[in-house]
Structure formats: structure tokens, C-alpha cells
């Protein structure tokens, strides 16, 4: 019976162990498995009738940003103005993740559409290949279609100025 | 200069806290009255020092002293006075200082209201409070100093996040922290009881008011946060199962369990070690919440400035506080003598069921919140856990809880007549069946979930009324006798009825607003009319309306119903140039039974504007229900028994 009183302590020790290891990880970084590797093979159907969808082949040719978003995601709204400004400088492709197409279209009608292409992944299946952890996420993909950087969470002017823009400039050369 | 005084005051508070956590413990162990008596003045001095620091920081914010880094990051001269003031706790450093201030207030309150506690117990409780103070004062001084200076000072600040520029910020964090930190007192009482090796009904009676206070504050804090999200985020939603929301919800669940199990300790001298464990866990969850929000192990909408050094420091606090107290529990709790026996079908049995379901609910929420972290650490992939998980695990657990909640108070202690209790609930049963039938009929058979939710709400509400009527012997005894019973009704019994009724109201609101929401999104031009559930909204157009630190586009809708004017709604879209951020200000017309909720979006540049309309039935009941719950807690808090020192053997009139 006495050992039962140890159970809370043991449970806490396990959780605390996870916390300790978790602290050494940054949930905002890409698992090294995908970094500098070609983006996974995929083809997503278009969201809008007058805008093409998104497939692996579209990522080759010039460096681009792939922005994973959903209409139900609050931080996506927060990053939207930043993304809109950024889309004037570099091509931004949209990856609409686990969303209802009609909700996603409303989101774009309401806030504006910064994307050159939008692929829609209602089931989240392609998102698993990409290792999407939570929306929003933004991937920097180079001209050969390799993932060079991943940002988890909303883009801010600071992230753009300090990370995204310099990286895109160096890739454009 | 004043900022330096604040820093000095914090350092002084740390020194006092160190002394407060050692001297009274030694005194209590040796039975040395002089050392034991050190606890109370130490708590007062600590409060004075922390309050001085808080005032110094407030001064820096209000006077826009941009040489203080935290001020420069979070205010701007164009911000209205109110937000320069509330900006004090609208950031990591300042909110930590508020946390510590409330901790010091709670300690001083124990010192002052605890006059009737035995000297040894009071000294030990205050010593444990002192240890918590040491941990967090060290944390703030070494990793999150709010008084750090920078030279040269910038000409202007970077402004508070516009989402936080709302009167909600004035009230939401203080209430939330009163709840979080309030549980520290129950924690300290539990640790002190483990050190003394004694838990008795008197102990439970001392702990209950502190737990009640923390729980009702947390109720208000969570409700305010949810209300704020509802009107500020412009979604029409009120709960998102975000890790930070979950972090506040878990201590609430455990706190509710603790309130109920402490009753069993007080009345029946049973469930002692379980109650101690709940008291430890309630505050542990508060600490884990602090860790999750400020360490960056999980991504969240609330993400405070994330810094691994802070995460490591808070993790060390977790190890010491939670690990230490649970180790003490494993060592000392087996020695606690078990008290009164009871049958499963009894008031105690019902409270055990309540505790099991609430604790399981908290564990479910904890698992969902931490699951992404577990998988990440095991390199098993990155996932996010969303509302579907919580809706399919947590919500079903609450169904038996609410169903039993109407029955429990009708059961007697030790061994109850369950058939008698159920038969007294016949009216509630009939009403529940009627509500379920009406909802199913009105929804054409599709509203199964809504029928269950609203049926449960009716069951609980009417069951609570029946229990209250039973206590008063209403309609069964002459009215004069019922009135006499009403006058002698213990406040704690009335508080329970009010709190249970409040929960019923909140459940009705949650169910109806989630399942019967109507939504429309459309592009409107000036002069167009849209109809929603009997309201006609005429869009009059957009005007520029600029505030002190933002530019707004204000839409105007004239709302009529059947040709009669109802109201004018003016939702806004604001742009804050300093932060370059857009916010939406929803316009809400409430009837108390439903909200008409309008948000205005982008224009297409050709004269049409995106307009989002929601009709949310019963949504105001969510917050009204929460406030009624908190009111019930407050009523119970005024019960005179809780203020009486030693437990008196006195027959309670209505028990």
C-alpha cells in the first residue's frame, strides 16, 4: 500500500523528464530530417478556380516561400498583414491545411489573398509528409526545391527582417 | 532613480523571504515561540517591499520612462493612460511581478486572518509561502528583471500589443493570478500538515476558505479571459483549447475537486491523504501552467517572450516545489490516520465520484496539452492536438459528473437512500425529458448533442432548486417555517446551490452557443440589407474614426426587427501604426438570450466590404453562469463557520 503514495512522485518525475528534454528542443525548428532535403513529393488541388494548385514541380526554378495556413487559425490572421507585405517582394505559395475550402475562401475574401498558388490539403495528409506541427508555418524553399528553413508560428516583421529576407536574398543570388 | 528603488525593494523582499522560509520552521520544530513569531512580521515586510517594487514599476510605466527596457518595449506615448497602466502586467517581467505581489498579499492575508490558527501551523504555512517567494523572487531578479535600464533611452517605446489594448487586460490577469497564486495557500497548508503529520477536520476548515477564494478568483479570471477572446478576436468563439487556456483550466478542475474533498475531511474526517494530494496538485498545475506559458516548450497563441534560460529556471522551481512536496507526501502521507467509514452510496461516495471525474478530466486535459511535447521528445513526429480530442474525451467525462451533481447533495452522509433521492428528483427528470424532446423535435432529430447538453443543464438546475426547497421544506411546511429555515440556512449550503445553478446556466450557454450558432459571411455595399434570425441589418457605410494611437474604419449598421428599430451597431477595424497590426472590434447586441455579433473585414476596393455576422444563442449565459458560480463561492466564503477558530460541535440546523 505504501508504494501507492510514491505514484504521484513517479508520475511527476516522468513528466518533468519530458519537460527537461523538451526545453532543449525548439518547437519552432524543423526536424533535421527534412532540412536541406528536397521537399516531399506531393500535388495539392487548387483552392480557387482562377488560381493554380501546388505540387512539388512548382517549387523548382526560383526560391519561394511556402506558407501553411488555415482559416481557423488565429495567429494566421495576425501574420496576414506581414505576409501580404512580404508577398510584394518574393513569391509566396499557400498551403491550406486541414481547412474547409469555403472557410478558406472566405478568409481570403475578407483579408486579401497574398498567394501566387494555393494548394488545399483538407485531410492534412500532405501536411504529415511535410512535418507540419501547427499552423501557421512558413518554409523557405530554394530554386532546386530543397527546404532550407522552417519557421513555426506567425511571421513578424522582425522574423522577416532578421531571417526570411536575408535568406531569400542569399538564395536569389 | 525610482526604478532603482524598485530593484532594491525586490532584493530586500528576497532577503526577507529567505529568512521567512527558515526561521519559523526552526522555531516550530524547536517549539521556540520567539522564532515562530517571526513569520507574521516577515510576511508583512515582504508585502511592503514587493508592493514598493510594484509601485516603482507602475511609476515607470505611467511616466513613460523609456530608459527602463520593459517600459520601452511595451508602451508608447500615444497610448491612453489606462493602457500605460495595465501595460505594467501586459508583458513577461511585469506579469511576474504581479504574480509575486499577489503571493505576498496572500501570505500577509494568512498572517493577518490566521490569528486563530495554532502558532506552529501558521509559522509552517508562512515558511512554505516564503520558500515559494524565494523561488520566484530569484527568478525575477536573475532572469526577468523588470527594472533593467538601457542607455541611451529611446525617444519612444514600441507599444503594447494592440490585442492587449483593451479594458479586459485590466481585470483578466489579476483575477487569474489571484486564482493561480491563491492555490499556493492550500499548497502551503498541505505541506505544513505533512510536516506536522496531522490532518483533522479543523485543518480542512482552515484550508477551505483559501481554496474557495482561489477557485472563485480563477473562475472569474477564466471567464473574463474567455469573454475577452470572444469580443476581441472577432471569431464569435469563446474557447479554443489552447495550451494556455488548458493551463488555467487544469488547476480550476483540481481546485473544484479539492473544495469538495475538503468537505469530506471537515465533516467526516475521511479522504485525508487524497485531499492533501489535491492541494499539492492544484498549485502544481498553476506552476506547470507558468512553465508552459513562459518556457516555449509548446507553441501557443499566448506565447510570452520565450527564453530558454527562463525555462530552465522555472523547471528547477518545478522540481523543487512539486518534486519536493510529492516526495514529502510519499514519505509522510501513509502515516495519516484514516477516518470515518462510509458506504459507496452516500454523500461521501458522491463526492468521491465527483473527485474521480474531475481528476480524470484534468488528466485528460493534461494529456492533450502535453501530447505534442511527448511525441516531439520521443522523435515520434510533430503533431498538434485540437478541439476534436477534447470534445471527444473531456466533454463525455463531464456528462456523468453533471448528472450526479443533482443527486449528490440530496444524499445523506455515511449511507444514503438513493431511491428516495431519485424519487425527489422526479420533477427534474420530467423537465429533462421535456427539454430533450423539445430540442430533438425543434432540430428535426439532428440535435442529439444539443439535447443532451440542454437536458443536463435543466436536470442540474431544477435538481439544485429541489435540493434547496428540501432544505427549506418549502410547500411541505408552513411558509413561516420555510422562511425561518431560510434565515438559518448556512451560507455554505446556499453558496453550493448558487454555484451549482450557475454551472447549469453556463452549460446551457456553452451547448446552445456551440451548436446553434448561425454564421453569415458576405460582401456588402452601403445601403444593402442582410437578414439574420429575424433581424434586418442595414449597412450604412464606413467612416474613418481615429483613436489616440490607431486609425479605424468604423462601419454602421442599423438593426431593425419586424420594422421596429432595435439598435445601431458600429464594428471597427483598427490599424495600429506603431506595431503595424490590425485588430477587429466586434459590435455586439445582446438580449441576454442571444448575441447578434458583427465584424467588418476588408474592402474589395470597389465599395463592398466583407461583413461577418453571427447569431449566438445563449452565449451571455456562459459568463453569467461563471459569475454566478463565483458568487456562490463568495457566499460560501462568508459562512460564519469558516471564520470561527476551533471546530465547534454545534448542530447545523439544515444538515
Amino acid at each position: 500500500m505504501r508504494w501507492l503514495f510514491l505514484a504521484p512522485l513517479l508520475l511527476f518525475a516522468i513528466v518533468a523528464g519530458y519537460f527537461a528534454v523538451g526545453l532543449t528542443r525548439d518547437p519552432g525548428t524543423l526536424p533535421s530530417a527534412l532540412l536541406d532535403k528536397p521537399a516531399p513529393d506531393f500535388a495539392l488541388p487548387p483552392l480557387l478556380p482562377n488560381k493554380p494548385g501546388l505540387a512539388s514541380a512548382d517549387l523548382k526554378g526560383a526560391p519561394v516561400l511556402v506558407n501553411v495556413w488555415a482559416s481557423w487559425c488565429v495567429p494566421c490572421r495576425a501574420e496576414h498583414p506581414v505576409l501580404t507585405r512580404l508577398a510584394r517582394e518574393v513569391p509566396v505559395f499557400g498551403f491550406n491545411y486541414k481547412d474547409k475550402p469555403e472557410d478558406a475562401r472566405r478568409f481570403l475574401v475578407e483579408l486579401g489573398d497574398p498567394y501566387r498558388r494555393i494548394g488545399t490539403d483538407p485531410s492534412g495528409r500532405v501536411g504529415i509528409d511535410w512535418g507540419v506541427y501547427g499552423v501557421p508555418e512558413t518554409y523557405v524553399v530554394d530554386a532546386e526545391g530543397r527546404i532550407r528553413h522552417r519557421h513555426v508560428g506567425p511571421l513578424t516583421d522582425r522574423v522577416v527582417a532578421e531571417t526570411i529576407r536575408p535568406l531569400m536574398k542569399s538564395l536569389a543570388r | 532613480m525610482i526604478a532603482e528603488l524598485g530593484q532594491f525593494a525586490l532584493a530586500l523582499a528576497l532577503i526577507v523571504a529567505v529568512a521567512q522560509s527558515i526561521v519559523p520552521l526552526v522555531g516550530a520544530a524547536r517549539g521556540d515561540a520567539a522564532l515562530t513569531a517571526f513569520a507574521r512580521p516577515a510576511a508583512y515586510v515582504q508585502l511592503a517591499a514587493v508592493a514598493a517594487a510594484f509601485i516603482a514599476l507602475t511609476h515607470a510605466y505611467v511616466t513613460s520612462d523609456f530608459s527602463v527596457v520593459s517600459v520601452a518595449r511595451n508602451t508608447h506615448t500615444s497610448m491612453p493612460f489606462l493602457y500605460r497602466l495595465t501595460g505594467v502586467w501586459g508583458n513577461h517581467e511585469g506579469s511576474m511581478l504581479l504574480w509575486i505581489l499577489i503571493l505576498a498579499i496572500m501570505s500577509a492575508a494568512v498572517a493577518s486572518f490566521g490569528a486563530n490558527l495554532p502558532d506552529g501551523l501558521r509559522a509552517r504555512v508562512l515558511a512554505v509561502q516564503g520558500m515559494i517567494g524565494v523561488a520566484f523572487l530569484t527568478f525575477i531578479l536573475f532572469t526577468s528583471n523588470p527594472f533593467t535600464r538601457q542607455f541611451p533611452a529611446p525617444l519612444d517605446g514600441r507599444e503594447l500589443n494592440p490585442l492587449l489594448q483593451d479594458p479586459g487586460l485590466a481585470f483578466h490577469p489579476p483575477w487569474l493570478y489571484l486564482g493561480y497564486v491563491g492555490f499556493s495557500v492550500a499548497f502551503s497548508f498541505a505541506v505544513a500538515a505533512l510536516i506536522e503529520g496531522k490532518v483533522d477536520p479543523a485543518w480542512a476548515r482552515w484550508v477551505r476558505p483559501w481554496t474557495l477564494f482561489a477557485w472563485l478568483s480563477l473562475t472569474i479570471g477564466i471567464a473574463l479571459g474567455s469573454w475577452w477572446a470572444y469580443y476581441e478576436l472577432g471569431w464569435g468563439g469563446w474557447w479554443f483549447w489552447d495550451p494556455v487556456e488548458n493551463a488555467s483550466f487544469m488547476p480550476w478542475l483540481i481546485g473544484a475537486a479539492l473544495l469538495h474533498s475538503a468537505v469530506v475531511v471537515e465533516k467526516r474526517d475521511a479522504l485525508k491523504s487524497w485531499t492533501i494530494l489535491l492541494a499539492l496538485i492544484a498549485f502544481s498545475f498553476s506552476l506547470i501552467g507558468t512553465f508552459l506559458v513562459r518556457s516555449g516548450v509548446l507553441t501557443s497563441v499566448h506565447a510570452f517572450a520565450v527564453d530558454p534560460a527562463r525555462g530552465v529556471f522555472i523547471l528547477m522551481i518545478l522540481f523543487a516545489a512539486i518534486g519536493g512536496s510529492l516526495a514529502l507526501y510519499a514519505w509522510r502521507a501513509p502515516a495519516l490516520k484514516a477516518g470515518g467509514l462510509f458506504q459507496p452510496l452516500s454523500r461521501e461516495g458522491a463526492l468521491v465520484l465527483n473527485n474521480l471525474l474531475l481528476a480524470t478530466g484534468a488528466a485528460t486535459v493534461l494529456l492533450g496539452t502535453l501530447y505534442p511535447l511527448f511525441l516531439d521528445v520521443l522523435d515520434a513526429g510533430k503533431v498538434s492536438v485540437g478541439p476534436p480530442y477534447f470534445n471527444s474525451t473531456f466533454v463525455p467525462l463531464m456528462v456523468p459528473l453533471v448528472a450526479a451533481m443533482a443527486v449528490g447533495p440530496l444524499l445523506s452522509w455515511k449511507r444514503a437512500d438513493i431511491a428516495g433521492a431519485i424519487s425527489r428528483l422526479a420533477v427534474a427528470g420530467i423537465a429533462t425529458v421535456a427539454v430533450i424532446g423539445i430540442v430533438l423535435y425543434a432540430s428535426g432529430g439532428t440535435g442529439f448533442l444539443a439535447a443532451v447538453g440542454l437536458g443536463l443543464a435543466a436536470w442540474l438546475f431544477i435538481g439544485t432548486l429541489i435540493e434547496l426547497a428540501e432544505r427549506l421544506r418549502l410547500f411541505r411546511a408552513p411558509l413561516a417555517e420555510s422562511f425561518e429555515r431560510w434565515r438559518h440556512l448556512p451560507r455554505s449550503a446556499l453558496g453550493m446551490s448558487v454555484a451549482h445553478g450557475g454551472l447549469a446556466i453556463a452549460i446551457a450557454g456553452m451547448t446552445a452557443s456551440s451548436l446553434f450558432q448561425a454564421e453569415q459571411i458576405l460582401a456588402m455595399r452601403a445601403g444593402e440589407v442582410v437578414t439574420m434570425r429575424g433581424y434586418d441589418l442595414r449597412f450604412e457605410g464606413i467612416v474613418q474614426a481615429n483613436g489616440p494611437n490607431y486609425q479605424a474604419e468604423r462601419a454602421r449598421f442599423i438593426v431593425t426587427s419586424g420594422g421596429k428599430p432595435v439598435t445601431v451597431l458600429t464594428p471597427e477595424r483598427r490599424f495600429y501604426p506603431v506595431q503595424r497590426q490590425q485588430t477587429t472590434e466586434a459590435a455586439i447586441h445582446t438580449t441576454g438570450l442571444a448575441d447578434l455579433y458583427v465584424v467588418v473585414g476588408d474592402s474589395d476596393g470597389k465599395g463592398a466590404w466583407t461583413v461577418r455576422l453571427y447569431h449566438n444563442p445563449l452565449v451571455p449565459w456562459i459568463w453569467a453562469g461563471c459569475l454566478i458560480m463565483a458568487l456562490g463561492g463568495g457566499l460560501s466564503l462568508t459562512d460564519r463557520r469558516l471564520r470561527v477558530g476551533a471546530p465547534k460541535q454545534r448542530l447545523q440546523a439544515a444538515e
Side-chain angles (χ1 to χ4, degrees):
Chain A
M1 198 52 202
R2 223 189 135 85
W3 61 270
L4 205 61
F5 289 88
L6 268 173
L9 184 64
L10 293 179
L11 271 177
F12 169 71
I14 294 169
V15 172
Y18 277 105
F19 284 162
V21 181
L23 268 185
T24 64
R25 312 283 178 100
D26 179 358
T29 55
L30 183 76
S32 52
L34 273 179
L35 203 56
D36 294 329
K37 295 261 174 69
D41 250 350
F42 71 101
L44 292 176
L47 174 72
L48 305 173
N50 52 358
K51 196 165 272 193
L54 189 61
S56 339
D58 303 326
L59 300 177
K60 291 183 183 146
V64 291
L65 291 179
V66 177
N67 176 251
V68 185
W69 64 283
S71 65
W72 43 264
C73 133
V74 179
C76 295
R77 289 182 179 245
E79 76 168 1
H80 193 271
V82 180
L83 198 64
T84 307
R85 282 193 293 276
L86 190 59
R88 289 179 204 134
E89 307 167 26
V90 295
V92 179
F93 293 168
F95 184 133
N96 183 234
Y97 179 67
K98 287 193 185 171
D99 211 349
K100 287 194 209 122
E102 58 279 16
D103 289 349
R105 273 179 236 134
R106 280 190 207 133
F107 179 93
L108 296 179
V109 169
E110 182 186 333
L111 296 173
D113 178 1
Y115 304 111
R116 300 222 181 149
R117 290 172 168 274
I118 305 176
T120 170
D121 182 22
S123 66
R125 179 65 196 81
V126 176
I128 293 175
D129 293 342
W130 279 69
V132 171
Y133 169 83
V135 279
E137 286 187 13
T138 304
Y139 295 81
V140 178
V141 182
D142 68 13
E144 278 84 51
R146 284 177 306 195
I147 295 176
R148 298 298 290 266
H149 178 75
R150 173 209 213 188
H151 176 77
V152 174
L155 289 174
T156 59
D157 284 326
R158 192 161 152 204
V159 171
V160 169
E162 287 174 7
T163 317
I164 307 283
R165 193 175 288 129
L167 183 58
M168 288 301 281
K169 274 196 182 132
S170 74
L171 291 179
R173 257 181 241 129
Chain B
M1 166 62 183
I2 289 189
E4 277 67 34
L5 284 180
Q7 167 119 13
F8 177 74
L10 273 186
L12 180 68
L14 175 60
I15 295 166
V16 176
V18 169
Q20 184 187 328
S21 49
I22 299 169
V23 177
L25 268 191
V26 175
R30 288 193 192 158
D32 183 331
L35 296 183
T36 312
F38 177 78
R40 291 172 83 176
Y44 297 139
V45 172
Q46 204 189 323
L47 173 59
V50 175
F54 193 82
I55 291 168
L57 186 64
T58 309
H59 177 267
Y61 268 82
V62 171
T63 59
S64 298
D65 181 352
F66 294 127
S67 68
V68 176
V69 175
S70 149
V71 177
R73 277 196 193 145
N74 298 294
T75 62
H76 188 271
T77 44
S78 66
M79 268 163 61
F81 177 80
L82 175 67
Y83 302 136
R84 293 216 300 269
L85 186 66
T86 58
V88 173
W89 55 79
N91 60 86
H92 167 72
E93 290 83 0
S95 65
M96 258 352 276
L97 189 56
L98 178 67
W99 208 103
I100 291 169
L101 176 67
I102 290 174
L103 181 71
I105 292 174
M106 297 309 289
S107 302
V110 172
S112 143
F113 296 124
N116 51 21
L117 294 176
D119 289 342
L121 181 65
R122 184 177 55 232
R124 287 182 169 122
V125 169
L126 287 175
V128 180
Q129 291 286 109
M131 292 178 200
I132 302 169
V134 171
F136 280 92
L137 283 162
T138 318
F139 175 63
I140 197 171
L141 277 168
F142 290 100
T143 71
S144 320
N145 192 335
F147 297 109
T148 307
R149 294 271 199 183
Q150 59 181 349
F151 293 103
L155 284 177
D156 213 328
R158 269 193 255 158
E159 195 177 15
L160 189 64
N161 183 333
L163 287 175
L164 301 181
Q165 295 192 34
D166 183 275
L169 181 66
F171 305 105
H172 164 58
W175 278 109
L176 200 62
Y177 287 6
L178 274 174
Y180 275 158
V181 183
F183 283 125
S184 72
V185 180
F187 175 87
S188 299
F189 265 98
V191 172
L194 285 172
I195 295 174
E196 296 191 340
K198 198 177 89 178
V199 178
D200 53 19
W203 178 89
R205 190 163 296 186
W206 290 316
V207 171
R208 259 183 80 199
W210 298 101
T211 312
L212 258 176
F213 176 75
W215 177 84
L216 82 89
S217 305
L218 195 55
T219 308
I220 295 174
I222 294 174
L224 282 173
S226 147
W227 185 43
W228 179 17
Y230 172 70
Y231 69 72
E232 182 68 30
L233 292 181
W235 264 118
W238 43 268
W239 189 263
F240 305 91
W241 294 108
D242 175 85
V244 173
E245 288 174 337
N246 295 347
S248 67
F249 192 43
M250 291 184 280
W252 186 88
L253 290 168
I254 297 293
L258 173 60
L259 278 181
H260 292 89
S261 76
V263 177
V264 181
V265 179
E266 183 185 337
K267 304 273 193 212
R268 299 281 304 132
D269 205 19
L271 294 188
K272 290 187 210 175
S273 65
W274 170 250
T275 303
I276 293 276
L277 183 61
L278 285 180
L280 298 180
I281 291 179
F283 186 59
S284 299
F285 271 138
S286 300
L287 291 174
I288 288 176
T290 308
F291 173 73
L292 293 181
V293 184
R294 295 164 199 270
S295 68
V297 290
L298 292 171
T299 44
S300 153
V301 191
H302 287 69
F304 264 100
V306 164
D307 179 344
R310 289 176 188 159
V312 171
F313 204 110
I314 304 181
L315 188 61
M316 292 195 313
I317 297 180
L318 293 192
F319 274 127
I322 306 178
S325 63
L326 290 179
L328 187 66
Y329 177 81
W331 175 38
R332 303 282 289 182
L336 294 175
K337 277 201 288 291
L341 298 172
F342 53 88
Q343 295 283 319
L345 282 177
S346 61
R347 178 83 67 88
E348 296 96 316
L351 289 169
V352 169
L353 179 69
N354 146 307
N355 270 231
L356 287 178
L357 290 169
L358 282 172
T360 313
T364 314
V365 177
L366 181 70
L367 183 65
T369 310
L370 296 183
Y371 194 66
L373 174 71
F374 291 163
L375 282 195
D376 185 20
V377 166
L378 296 174
D379 281 324
K382 300 208 172 209
V383 297
S384 57
V385 175
Y389 165 82
F390 295 100
N391 290 343
S392 57
T393 56
F394 178 78
V395 176
L397 275 173
M398 293 300 109
V399 171
L401 181 75
V402 177
M405 200 184 279
V407 185
L410 286 167
L411 301 178
S412 51
W413 296 101
K414 286 203 252 187
R415 193 161 81 190
D417 167 22
I418 186 100
I422 298 275
S423 71
R424 278 180 282 176
L425 285 168
V427 178
I430 294 166
T432 309
V433 172
V435 167
I436 291 178
I438 291 170
V439 173
L440 283 180
Y441 176 75
S443 64
T446 56
F448 176 69
L449 287 176
V452 171
L454 293 176
L456 275 175
W459 168 253
L460 175 57
F461 193 80
I462 297 171
T464 303
L465 287 183
I466 290 174
E467 194 272 339
L468 192 61
E470 288 273 319
R471 273 179 189 275
L472 303 177
R473 297 187 57 80
L474 204 60
F475 310 128
R476 298 204 305 176
L479 269 181
E481 188 194 327
S482 290
F483 182 71
E484 198 56 24
R485 283 174 172 270
W486 166 261
R487 279 187 48 213
H488 292 290
L489 190 67
R491 291 276 183 86
S492 59
L494 184 60
M496 178 203 75
S497 297
V498 170
H500 284 187
L503 181 64
I505 293 172
I507 291 172
M510 293 170 194
T511 309
S513 66
S514 312
L515 298 170
F516 296 137
Q517 185 185 57
E519 181 185 2
Q520 270 194 63
I521 301 187
L522 67 168
M524 290 183 84
R525 294 168 179 282
E528 286 181 350
V529 177
V530 59
T531 304
M532 176 169 253
R533 290 210 176 141
Y535 290 106
D536 296 313
L537 289 93
R538 193 183 136 89
F539 180 42
E540 296 281 289
I542 296 268
V543 288
Q544 284 291 322
N546 293 346
N549 54 339
Y550 59 84
Q551 299 142 16
E553 290 164 339
R554 181 183 294 158
R556 199 177 141 84
F557 291 86
I558 295 183
V559 184
T560 54
S561 176
K564 291 194 199 78
V566 176
T567 185
V568 176
L569 290 175
T570 54
E572 288 183 9
R573 236 158 73 92
R574 293 182 182 169
F575 179 70
Y576 288 78
V578 179
Q579 287 254 327
R580 300 217 275 161
Q581 193 175 334
Q582 195 102 47
T583 67
T584 57
E585 301 290 315
I588 301 171
H589 169 69
T590 182
T591 61
L593 283 175
D595 278 7
L596 185 64
Y597 183 111
V598 186
V599 183
V600 66
D602 240 344
S603 103
D604 65 354
K606 294 176 223 143
W609 299 78
T610 313
V611 173
R612 264 184 310 141
L613 294 170
Y614 297 92
H615 186 260
N616 297 320
L618 298 196
V619 76
W621 287 25
I622 298 174
W623 302 295
C626 289
L627 289 184
I628 293 172
M629 266 194 272
L631 180 73
L635 272 174
S636 190
L637 204 52
T638 60
D639 194 302
R640 67 177 293 277
R641 277 180 314 141
L642 297 178
R643 282 173 282 135
V644 193
K648 288 198 184 115
Q649 296 295 326
R650 201 172 65 84
L651 274 176
Q652 294 297 322
E655 278 166 14

